[in-house]
Amino acid sequence: MTDQKNTLIDKLPKAELHLHIEGTLEPEMMLALAKRNDIALPYDSVEEIRAAYEFDGLQDFLDLYYAGMSVLIEERDFYDLTWAYLETVADQGVTHVEIFFDPQAHTDRGIAFETVLGGITSALETGARELRITSRLIMCFLRHLPEEQAFDALHSACRHKDHIHAVGLDSSEAGIPPSNFARVYEAARNEGFITVAHAGEEGPAAYVTDALDILKVSRVDHGNHALDDPALVARLVREKTPLTMCPLSNLRLKVIASMEANPVKTALDAGLLVTVNSDDPSYFGGYINANYEAVTDALDLSITDIVTLAKNSFAASFLPDEEKQTHIDAVERHAGKFMRSAD
Ligand code: HPA
Ligand code: ZN
């Protein structure tokens, strides 16, 4: 990649729309919180933790992801986790974030919903004040658990509509169709929540179609396998449904065989509203700019492609139209000097 593209990406204003806050738990913080909360971990050092991050696929990763969360106990743990993420991405040009959290992974361990939410939201408020990063929070249902338990999470979320904007669906995908969650999504929509869902990461294109038709999602998380179905691609383009793609995640979870096989460029060329995100940066080896750099390098993205990805990140966000435009104007201003000399 040219220095010019590197420099462009570095401080290019961008939104991150696919980020699991629990997936930002760095090994250093995992060890520090284990000590603070007197939790036993099967690791003694940062190196040992990092060495464990070799994944065969999504489920293999999820097993470690849920185990890592055991150190998150107090409200201040969730605050520290969220604050560390915001400080990292503030330095990478990020000015808006839409963050997932997995309450069932915590309430199942006896941590109160309000403890989780309180820590995350107060860090987001500090981030708005001190780092000028705006945010939305998306509560995910865990798809490996029964729909009744998703309803419990939804009931909790209904007490906090001021802080939770949307609901999503994550965790193990293979063999678990979106239709399993039709009722809880309908209830969530009736309560005024926007909906998104992970679909087509390991699951087939049909799961993306079902997420659109049954869960009525406004955005598809990952969506890689949507590209297997030309009619579905045409529909996503026509309906301007965003895809939140995660290149390093795809590579580390073996959704793609190599970074060159990443579908971001194909999706851009097809006219899809594709965005680039980090998913679980601590586990997958890079925050948002590392993801922009990896796809740029592997797919030889042009300056125009990179700028389109940044504009798409705001266009695909849940911000009001006026704010989207303000951010898109900021992308154009930042990119101006690069575009004039570009390809
Ligand atoms: N896929 C599904 N569930 C997840 C992921 C993911 O990439 N990250 C955290 N939970
Ligand atoms: Zn994800």
Side-chain angles (χ1 to χ4, degrees):
M1 179 165 47
T2 62
D3 285 352
Q4 194 192 24
K5 289 180 189 172
N6 246 330
T7 313
L8 167 66
I9 290 168
D10 188 36
K11 294 287 191 283
L12 184 64
K14 53 183 84 68
E16 177 143 62
L17 307 180
H18 187 150
L19 182 280
H20 301 263
I21 197 62
E22 296 91 345
T24 68
L25 179 61
E26 289 289 342
E28 290 81 357
M29 188 179 283
M30 195 188 289
L31 291 172
L33 293 183
K35 193 159 172 214
R36 187 158 98 184
N37 292 325
D38 205 13
I39 304 283
L41 282 179
Y43 318 103
D44 291 322
S45 69
V46 167
E47 294 70 35
E48 270 181 59
I49 298 176
R50 284 202 206 286
Y53 294 172
E54 279 284 333
F55 311 114
D56 284 339
L58 177 58
Q59 191 56 51
D60 197 34
F61 152 70
L62 289 168
D63 293 344
L64 276 187
Y65 169 77
Y66 294 122
M69 285 181 210
S70 66
V71 302
L72 299 166
I73 307 286
E74 308 286 346
E75 183 168 322
R76 69 171 174 158
D77 304 337
F78 290 93
Y79 181 96
D80 291 349
L81 178 74
T82 308
W83 180 247
Y85 163 70
L86 292 173
E87 277 198 307
T88 299
V89 296
D91 205 37
Q92 302 194 6
V94 171
T95 50
H96 178 69
V97 293
E98 301 191 351
I99 292 182
F100 297 125
F101 74 118
D102 284 331
Q104 290 163 274
H106 310 299
T107 53
D108 263 14
R109 306 182 284 118
I111 312 295
F113 188 94
E114 280 70 21
T115 299
V116 180
L117 186 67
I120 297 171
T121 55
S122 46
L124 292 175
E125 282 159 15
T126 312
R129 250 189 350 261
E130 295 185 10
L131 304 171
R132 302 252 155 248
I133 295 180
T134 53
S135 63
R136 297 285 186 273
L137 201 49
I138 305 171
M139 181 186 79
C140 281
F141 303 122
L142 296 186
R143 75 200 295 163
H144 68 276
L145 296 177
E147 193 183 33
E148 301 83 76
Q149 293 180 27
F151 268 108
D152 294 340
L154 178 62
H155 293 143
S156 298
C158 286
R159 297 195 297 269
H160 301 284
K161 286 185 183 170
D162 48 340
H163 286 124
I164 301 171
H165 197 75
V167 299
L169 187 65
D170 65 2
S171 198
S172 329
E173 186 182 11
I176 311 177
S179 55
N180 288 12
F181 294 87
R183 282 167 302 235
V184 76
Y185 264 69
E186 184 182 8
R189 292 193 308 275
N190 289 340
E191 289 289 345
F193 293 102
I194 290 174
T195 64
V196 299
H198 283 53
E201 181 185 18
E202 287 193 340
Y207 282 16
V208 176
T209 303
D210 285 354
L212 296 169
D213 290 340
I214 300 173
L215 307 184
K216 307 206 185 306
V217 296
S218 304
R219 216 157 63 195
V220 174
D221 297 312
H222 293 296
N224 296 57
H225 285 286
L227 287 127
D228 301 343
D229 177 349
L232 176 56
V233 171
R235 173 184 179 182
L236 292 165
V237 171
R238 198 169 55 245
E239 296 177 359
K240 299 188 172 60
T241 308
L243 302 183
T244 63
M245 291 193 149
C246 306
L248 286 172
S249 166
N250 288 169
L251 185 67
R252 296 293 285 270
L253 298 187
K254 302 189 163 43
V255 170
I256 52 175
S258 67
M259 194 49 83
E260 287 71 24
N262 192 277
V264 164
K265 177 71 175 155
T266 310
L268 274 174
D269 291 347
L272 285 161
L273 192 50
V274 59
T275 66
V276 164
N277 309 272
S278 71
D279 207 2
D280 301 281
S282 164
Y283 292 87
F284 301 145
Y287 286 77
I288 190 158
N289 281 359
N291 278 274
Y292 271 69
E293 286 161 12
V295 279
T296 298
D297 232 0
L299 306 176
D300 197 25
L301 296 189
S302 66
I303 299 265
T304 306
D305 291 330
I306 297 166
V307 172
T308 300
L309 288 172
K311 286 189 195 171
N312 284 357
S313 73
F314 294 110
S317 75
F318 295 137
L319 287 169
D321 286 345
E322 250 173 63
E323 282 181 55
K324 287 184 186 181
Q325 196 53 52
T326 304
H327 285 289
I328 290 169
D329 291 346
V331 172
E332 279 179 352
R333 266 198 313 279
H334 182 93
K337 55 183 175 294
F338 297 90
M339 301 288 274
R340 276 190 293 278
S341 61
D343 38 2

